[in-house]
Amino acid sequence: MSAPDPVPAAPHGAHARPPARGGRWAEFKASPYLPAVVLLFIIAAAAGLFAGSYTYAMANPTPRNIPAAVVGRLDTPRDRVFLDRLEDELNASLVLHEYTTAAGARTALEEQKVFAILRSENGGVGMDIASASGASVAQLLAESTLKVGEAVHVPVKVTDVKPLQRGDPRGLALFYISLAAVIVGFVGAIQLSVHAKALEPLERIGFTIAYALLGGFAIAAVVDWLLGSVDLPFVQSWMILALTMFTTGMVFTMFNTLIGRWAMIPTWGLMVMLGNPSSGGAVSWPLLPSVLGFIGRWLPPGASVNAQHAAVYYQGHQRIFPYLVLAGWLLVSCTVFWVWRHRHPGGGGGEGGEEGGGKRPARQGESAHHRGGEVKE
């Protein structure tokens, strides 16, 4: 019978001590638990900020300065009383711009420089509104004007000279298609970074362009051809949606290059928590807090909404500014990504690697000895 195996001696001395505090922290940092714990707090904070941003912008929209055109002069005592009472009812200041002709005032309305036209009409006041410029502002102006006219015994006639399309009575369809383009744009870039990590920089840009074109086409086709909700100028709306998706996709790619796996934080903050509530799509900018109304025009969601509105409702009076905003964000994002492409978590460019400068992983079919253009001995 063989002798039993000797029982190992109990550890003693330094080997018997529990891991030092520094060692436990180093273990925790190297484990998946650290990013998981950080994400717990980030997701909770993002949920609260997301709800708060939309509630702040949309729950109680308050008019501030509303630009309006005046044809001729509204300077009789009764007119002044009417205008003063209208400002009190709106709890806002009407910024009046005088025009000598109705045609000049209508041009200002078409160019979205003003939201209404006021004029003397049959011993009373006529008001032209444009729901296409902002359904919320148009509704507020119409209701307040009729109420004040009745209170001060001034005959009032309100005409919607730029109504919304029948399939979009609240004017939200263009906001929602722009929102879809914004979110799917950067989610597509996230998926490329996860499932196609080894793409070279030019390939990554190329695939971002490809899904932007296909995604923009799908959004426009569903809304216009399948549902018939909005009659879009199809090619132009498609290109706006594609440009929006490409831009937001490259914004995420830029942040992914600069800060790695935490790129979702600034992307979500800029595009969703700040950009969408301030875009003017759900609540027109005169009803937004003044800071949001200004900032929103300089962010991709607001630029996309403004470009779509002009394309659908103001074909003869389109503005270049929204396109310049989208192009500016796209140019900056692509430039940053290209200059620092070696830092992108997917690598590429012959220099990059996993957040620390290593070579990219070998592609399928590529020899394990040939990576990044080098031959391993």
Side-chain angles (χ1 to χ4, degrees):
M1 181 180 297
S2 60
D5 293 337
V7 177
H12 63 279
H15 298 287
R17 296 175 190 159
R21 182 176 299 175
R24 286 198 298 267
W25 173 243
E27 267 184 42
F28 181 67
K29 283 202 301 183
S31 75
Y33 299 116
L34 176 60
V37 170
V38 173
L39 281 171
L40 286 178
F41 292 101
I42 290 175
I43 292 170
L49 290 171
F50 180 55
S53 65
Y54 273 80
T55 302
Y56 176 66
M58 301 179 186
N60 186 26
T62 304
R64 287 162 179 82
N65 296 325
I66 302 178
V70 175
V71 179
R73 302 183 68 85
L74 290 175
D75 54 4
T76 66
R78 190 172 67 165
D79 291 337
R80 294 310 311 170
V81 169
F82 173 82
L83 290 174
D84 290 342
R85 289 287 295 273
L86 181 57
E87 289 190 345
D88 291 340
E89 179 66 25
L90 292 170
N91 193 25
S93 173
L94 285 173
V95 182
L96 300 178
H97 302 271
E98 293 187 0
Y99 293 86
T100 56
T101 65
R106 181 58 187 266
T107 298
L109 190 73
E110 293 283 346
E111 293 176 351
Q112 301 181 70
K113 295 178 180 177
V114 297
F115 281 82
I117 300 173
L118 290 162
R119 62 185 175 276
S120 293
E121 186 173 270
N122 300 325
V125 174
M127 174 180 278
D128 292 342
I129 58 173
S131 293
S133 293
S136 51
V137 174
Q139 181 181 359
L140 180 67
L141 286 171
E143 292 175 352
S144 300
T145 300
L146 293 171
K147 183 177 179 179
V148 170
E150 184 178 352
V152 299
H153 307 292
V154 173
V156 171
K157 180 181 178 182
V158 177
T159 305
D160 191 347
V161 296
K162 206 73 171 176
L164 292 162
Q165 294 187 20
R166 183 176 299 178
D168 184 30
R170 301 301 302 166
L172 294 175
L174 300 185
F175 170 66
Y176 287 130
I177 67 173
S178 299
L179 176 63
V182 167
I183 293 179
V184 176
F186 67 75
V187 168
I190 293 171
Q191 294 306 302
L192 282 182
S193 72
V194 172
H195 299 292
K197 188 175 277 192
L199 287 173
E200 294 289 338
L202 280 177
E203 295 169 342
R204 189 173 299 278
I205 293 174
F207 275 97
T208 305
I209 293 172
Y211 78 64
L213 286 170
L214 287 174
F217 180 87
I219 294 170
V222 167
V223 171
D224 189 346
W225 298 346
L226 182 61
L227 299 178
S229 297
V230 183
D231 183 15
L232 299 173
F234 193 85
V235 173
Q236 186 178 2
S237 288
W238 171 21
M239 291 298 104
I240 294 169
L241 292 167
L243 178 59
T244 302
M245 292 183 70
F246 183 31
T247 300
T248 58
M250 290 310 301
V251 166
F252 172 82
T253 304
M254 172 184 69
F255 285 128
N256 201 22
T257 302
L258 294 176
I259 60 177
R261 62 187 176 189
W262 304 112
M264 184 62 176
I265 298 172
T267 306
W268 182 267
L270 274 175
M271 299 299 157
V272 178
M273 287 196 297
L274 182 59
N276 282 320
S278 64
S279 66
V283 175
S284 301
W285 66 262
L287 304 186
L288 290 170
S290 55
V291 174
L292 282 183
F294 175 77
I295 291 175
R297 304 176 210 185
W298 292 90
L299 295 175
S304 182
V305 168
N306 290 338
Q308 287 289 0
H309 268 124
V312 174
Y313 291 108
Y314 297 95
Q315 272 291 319
H317 300 274
Q318 297 191 60
R319 297 170 293 180
I320 195 172
F321 178 73
Y323 300 95
L324 292 178
V325 171
L326 289 169
W329 279 93
L330 181 59
L331 178 62
V332 170
S333 301
C334 288
T335 301
V336 170
F337 168 59
W338 187 257
V339 171
W340 285 282
R341 60 192 181 276
H342 58 280
R343 294 183 53 180
H344 191 274
E351 303 173 21
E354 291 292 333
E355 297 189 39
K359 299 298 178 186
R360 67 167 174 83
R363 300 187 184 190
Q364 186 175 3
E366 196 176 40
S367 168
H369 298 290
H370 296 78
R371 300 184 184 183
E374 296 182 2
V375 178
K376 302 290 183 183
E377 294 296 335

